[in-house]
Amino acid sequence: MPVARINGHNMYYEVHGEGPPAICMGGWGTFCHGQHHHLARSLKDNYQVAIFDHRGIGESDDDPSVTPGMQLYAGDVAGLLDHLGWSDVHVVGLVGMGACIGQELAIGRPDLVRSMVNMGTWAKPDALFRHQMEMLRDVHRDMGWEAFQKLVCLWSFDEDYYLANHDRILGPEGPWRELRGRFEAHDRLIQSCLSHDVTDRLGQISAPCLIVHCPLDIVSGPRLTKPIEAMIPNARGYLLEGAAHVVAGPEMRKRFSDLLGEFLKETDNAMEVATR
């Protein structure tokens, strides 16, 4: 799979599927390296989807002399889409900073964004979110990656899923494995999360937006996502009942996939009508 020199770093990416262009971004991890099966079925079955490694994880390198921030990561994504020759792209940001990057992309490069999906995210950290991020950073630094992974899993999955699957999700092959042995990269990601603030610019977004609210998300739930919906003129919100920070389990994954697929199809149909 290719690595391209983009925005001052070597960026690993993959493209899967066929159809209109889309990009899917997660938080402190990647959908790459055999993990693309975690993409929503409605996305991977109907779209040509780009996925990538954030700076400093997977096979993407980083320059520690460059100040981290969501605008930097959005510049990476814009550069990747320009490299691919894509515009008018469905931008799907899930589980944290991927959605923040989508916000910055929709503000700074509206030519690239056909639609934007946000879930599990924020426009500006509040005190609770800030303290949670600081705790995750401190645990990773002082107690190690295994303790960090356990804590973030406890906060991110609903209790029934965690009880049924903790033996499978905890460990070096489980979620957030990309950060194992990479505290410095994790610290830079956290700095970007804590400095993110688009509250005075979200109103500039003109693309159709779907903001998914997850009521069981104790990290970036509706208290942080509802204001995003209110600040974007062309946004609609959807309360995904029973959803935590990470959408997990066959039933919840299907519900999210159906919601996403319906929104993207509706957006495509509206664009087609508008260009006739």
Side-chain angles (χ1 to χ4, degrees):
M1 289 295 181
V3 174
R5 187 70 182 173
I6 291 173
N7 199 24
H9 83 302
N10 295 312
M11 187 174 188
Y12 175 90
Y13 68 94
E14 301 174 8
V15 178
H16 297 272
E18 297 180 357
I23 189 164
C24 188
M25 304 173 288
W28 300 335
T30 180
F31 289 104
C32 297
H33 313 293
Q35 300 302 309
H36 61 277
H37 63 278
H38 289 301
L39 294 169
R41 180 171 293 278
S42 59
L43 190 63
K44 62 186 178 183
D45 286 355
N46 299 291
Y47 295 88
Q48 188 177 20
V49 186
I51 52 179
F52 62 92
D53 291 340
H54 291 302
R55 287 173 173 260
I57 66 172
E59 295 185 36
S60 292
D61 64 17
D62 196 6
D63 179 355
S65 69
V66 176
T67 301
M70 291 303 170
Q71 289 184 323
L72 175 66
Y73 291 101
D76 296 343
V77 174
L80 174 60
L81 296 179
D82 288 339
H83 173 76
L84 293 171
W86 290 6
S87 60
D88 202 27
V89 177
H90 292 296
V91 176
V92 182
L94 308 177
V95 197
M97 65 176 279
C100 298
I101 295 169
Q103 295 164 15
E104 288 285 5
L105 190 68
I107 294 166
R109 288 291 306 274
D111 59 301
L112 296 177
V113 180
R114 169 169 282 208
S115 73
M116 184 183 78
V117 178
N118 265 204
M119 183 174 72
T121 190
W122 59 97
K124 179 182 180 180
D126 62 7
L128 176 57
F129 179 84
R130 182 173 296 278
H131 294 165
Q132 287 171 320
M133 293 300 102
E134 291 170 348
M135 178 60 71
L136 290 171
R137 179 190 60 203
D138 293 350
V139 167
H140 190 175
R141 182 191 62 218
D142 299 338
M143 300 177 65
W145 176 85
E146 289 81 3
F148 154 75
Q149 186 200 46
K150 181 179 285 187
L151 179 58
V152 74
C153 284
L154 286 168
W155 285 356
S156 298
F157 294 97
D158 73 83
E159 59 185 35
D160 290 338
Y161 185 86
Y162 186 88
L163 286 169
N165 294 280
H166 61 89
D167 288 340
R168 180 174 63 85
I169 60 177
L170 296 179
E173 298 305 313
W176 295 283
R177 61 190 169 280
E178 298 87 356
L179 299 176
R180 190 166 182 247
R182 298 194 177 186
F183 171 74
E184 291 77 12
H186 188 198
D187 185 42
R188 287 172 61 78
L189 294 173
I190 290 175
Q191 290 178 53
S192 301
C193 291
L194 292 178
S195 64
H196 181 62
D197 183 357
V198 289
T199 52
D200 62 343
R201 293 182 289 132
L202 280 180
Q204 300 174 26
I205 296 177
S206 58
C209 296
L210 174 66
I211 314 301
V212 183
H213 310 297
C214 300
L216 301 187
D217 185 349
I218 64 171
V219 178
S220 51
R223 81 177 194 282
L224 294 177
T225 53
K226 287 282 189 180
I228 297 171
E229 178 190 349
M231 286 185 277
I232 298 176
N234 204 18
R236 72 175 71 172
Y238 184 89
L239 187 70
L240 189 59
E241 292 288 356
H245 188 62
V246 174
V247 171
E251 180 183 353
M252 188 61 69
R253 287 172 60 87
K254 182 179 186 304
R255 288 174 56 200
F256 172 71
S257 176
D258 290 347
L259 172 65
L260 177 62
E262 181 180 343
F263 171 73
L264 297 182
K265 183 177 180 179
E266 181 181 325
T267 302
D268 287 337
N269 290 341
M271 293 292 185
E272 183 178 342
V273 169
T275 56
R276 282 177 184 171

